[in-house]
Amino acid sequence: MNFDYSDDQKMLKDEARKFLAAKCDAKVVRGVLDNADRAYDEALWKGVAEQGWLGVAIPEEFGGLGMGHVELCGLAEELGRACAPIPFASTVYFVAEALMKFGSQEQKAKWLPRIAAGEVIGAFATAEGKGPVTARSIGTSVSDGKLSGEKIPVTDGDVADLIVVLAKDGLYLVEKGEGVSAEVLTTLDPTRSAAKLIFSGAPAERLGSEDGIAAMQAVFDRAAVLLAFEQVGGADKSLEMAKEYALSRHAFGRAIAGYQAIKHKLADIYVKNEVARSNAYFGAWALNTDAGDLPLAAATARVAASEAFWFASKENIQTHGGIGFTWEADPQLYYRRSRQLSLVAGAPATWRERLVSQLEMKNAA
C-alpha cells in the first residue's frame, strides 16, 4: 500500500502552494487579525472558489470536480501552511461532507453546486456551551418544522448562509434569515470567527434520518481527517519558520541553530510532525475509501496532529526568543490557529477517549 501522494496530487499541492504564497501571505492573515470588522478575507475566498477548491471532493453531477478526498487532504495541508483566514473548513469539511453523507438528492442538488461555486458559506452547529455534546445535553429541538434553541460556539456562524444544526432528534438544515440571530464572540484566533447562534422558530429541514449524535460523530470523523491535514501543514510551516530563524539569528558569534538546545528543540518538532503526518495519511486512505477503520483512523490522526501543531507552534515562538512574543512577529498566527483547530469538532481529550474506545473495540473483535 502506497501512503503517499501520486504525481498528479503532488502537482495539485505544488500549484496550491504557489497560489497561496501569492494570495495569502502574513499581511493577508493580519488584515483579518487586526480588523475586528472582518471575519475572513473576501478576496482570498473568491480566489479559492475560482480555483475550484471548494468542489474538489464534490461529485461532478453536483457541480464539483469529483477528484476525491485525498486531493482535498492535500489542499487542506496547504491551507494550513498558509494559515488561510477563510471559512473553508466549516463549509467544506463539515457542511459539504454532511450533505454528501446524509443529504437527499434534492438537498444535494440545491446546495452542493452553490458550495462548489463559493456562493454559500456553511457552519456546523452542535455545542451548546455545556461541555461535551451528549444526547442528554442537547436543548435544541424542532416542532412543526421550526427549530428553537441556542448553539455556542459556532465557528463561522456569524458569516454562514447555511447551517447544519444538531437537534434532539437529528441534524437539520437551516438557512440564515428568519428566526436566526448571531452574536459575534471574541476568541483567541480572530482570523477564524465564531458566534453564538440563537434560533427562534427558524424554518428547518431534516438532513437524513439518522440519530443526531451518531450523525454528528460520522461528520466529525470525516472532518477530523481533513482538520488533521490542516494541522500538519501548520506544524510544518512552524518548523520551517523556526529553522529559518535559527539559521539567521546569531548569538556569541554563531548561528543559534548550532547550539544543542535549539537542535534538540527542532528535532523534537520534526519527530512529532512526522508521526502526525503518517497518521494523517492513514486517515486520508480511510476517508477516501470509506473504510470501516475510519473512526479509528480519524481519532488517531486528530490526536497526533493536534499535539504536533500545538508543540510546533509553541516551540516556534520559543525559538524566536523575546521577539517571538511581540505582536509584530508572525509565530503568534500559527499558535492561535493551533489552539483554534484543536477545539473544532471536539477537544483533544475527547478524541483521546474516542481513540481508546476504538482500539478496545478493535481488540475485542
Side-chain angles (χ1 to χ4, degrees):
M1 187 177 296
N2 181 20
F3 283 106
D4 195 8
Y5 295 112
S6 67
D7 290 340
D8 288 343
Q9 290 162 349
K10 289 177 181 177
M11 183 179 299
L12 175 65
K13 284 181 84 272
D14 289 342
E15 292 303 313
R17 184 170 300 189
K18 292 176 184 177
F19 174 83
L20 290 168
K23 304 294 184 180
C24 186
D25 58 12
K27 292 181 180 178
V28 171
V29 182
R30 285 181 175 275
V32 178
L33 175 66
D34 295 332
N35 191 337
D37 295 327
R38 297 184 66 194
Y40 65 100
D41 188 275
E42 298 83 355
L44 180 60
W45 178 253
K46 181 180 178 181
V48 164
E50 291 173 347
Q51 293 290 314
W53 295 359
L54 297 168
V56 161
I58 294 176
E60 292 183 66
E61 63 177 304
F62 299 117
L65 299 181
M67 297 178 73
H69 283 92
V70 173
E71 287 78 5
L72 181 56
C73 288
L75 292 178
E77 183 178 348
E78 297 307 319
L79 288 165
R81 281 184 58 88
C83 206
I86 52 176
F88 192 92
S90 297
T91 304
V92 178
Y93 309 165
F94 289 92
V95 174
E97 288 296 321
L99 282 164
M100 288 191 287
K101 180 72 174 177
F102 299 113
S104 65
Q105 286 296 109
E106 293 76 13
Q107 290 169 332
K108 293 176 182 178
K110 178 180 179 180
W111 291 111
L112 289 177
R114 297 181 64 189
I115 289 175
E119 298 172 358
V120 169
I121 293 175
F124 198 70
T126 58
E128 299 185 1
K130 304 173 183 176
V133 179
T134 64
R136 297 183 62 181
S137 71
I138 303 172
T140 304
S141 61
V142 177
S143 178
D144 297 325
K146 304 291 185 179
L147 184 142
S148 298
E150 296 182 356
K151 295 294 182 180
I152 179 174
V154 181
T155 303
D156 299 311
D158 53 326
V159 295
D161 306 295
L162 178 66
I163 309 157
V164 176
V165 184
L166 174 65
K168 286 181 178 295
D169 60 335
L171 296 179
Y172 285 83
L173 291 173
V174 178
E175 295 185 54
K176 181 72 72 66
E178 179 188 349
V180 183
S181 60
E183 299 177 5
V184 179
L185 303 176
T186 300
T187 67
L188 180 63
D189 184 8
T191 65
R192 291 303 312 279
S193 65
K196 175 182 179 180
L197 295 182
I198 303 171
F199 303 96
S200 305
E205 181 182 356
R206 185 69 184 263
L207 180 63
S209 58
E210 288 75 6
D211 168 77
I213 295 295
M216 177 196 73
Q217 190 59 63
V219 175
F220 277 6
D221 285 342
R222 304 176 77 80
V225 175
L226 298 163
L227 290 170
F229 274 91
E230 272 206 27
Q231 292 169 307
V232 166
D236 274 353
K237 181 62 177 180
S238 296
L239 174 58
E240 180 182 298
M241 293 170 68
K243 175 188 172 183
E244 290 177 353
Y245 184 80
L247 289 170
S248 63
R249 177 74 168 92
H250 286 69
F252 304 106
R254 60 186 293 195
I256 64 173
Y259 292 101
Q260 191 175 56
I262 300 297
K263 290 180 179 179
H264 286 184
K265 189 185 297 291
L266 299 182
D268 288 343
I269 298 174
Y270 176 80
V271 170
K272 288 182 181 293
N273 285 6
E274 289 304 298
V275 170
R277 180 176 294 280
S278 64
N279 285 312
Y281 281 3
F282 175 37
W285 165 80
L287 175 60
N288 198 55
T289 60
D290 202 19
D293 279 339
L294 178 57
L296 173 61
T300 305
R302 181 69 168 148
V303 170
S306 294
E307 170 66 18
F309 194 11
W310 169 76
F311 185 80
S313 63
K314 172 177 69 75
E315 293 301 317
N316 183 26
I317 293 175
Q318 294 288 339
T319 301
H320 278 72
I323 196 174
F325 290 86
T326 64
W327 188 263
E328 291 75 14
D330 292 336
Q332 62 160 313
L333 303 177
Y334 290 87
Y335 182 80
R336 291 174 184 272
R337 185 58 60 85
S338 76
R339 298 292 77 205
Q340 189 270 336
L341 286 177
S342 71
L343 296 175
V344 176
T350 302
W351 284 98
R352 283 193 288 270
E353 291 178 6
R354 182 163 175 75
L355 174 58
V356 171
S357 66
Q358 289 296 316
L359 288 172
E360 289 176 341
M361 291 172 57
K362 189 177 182 66
N363 292 334

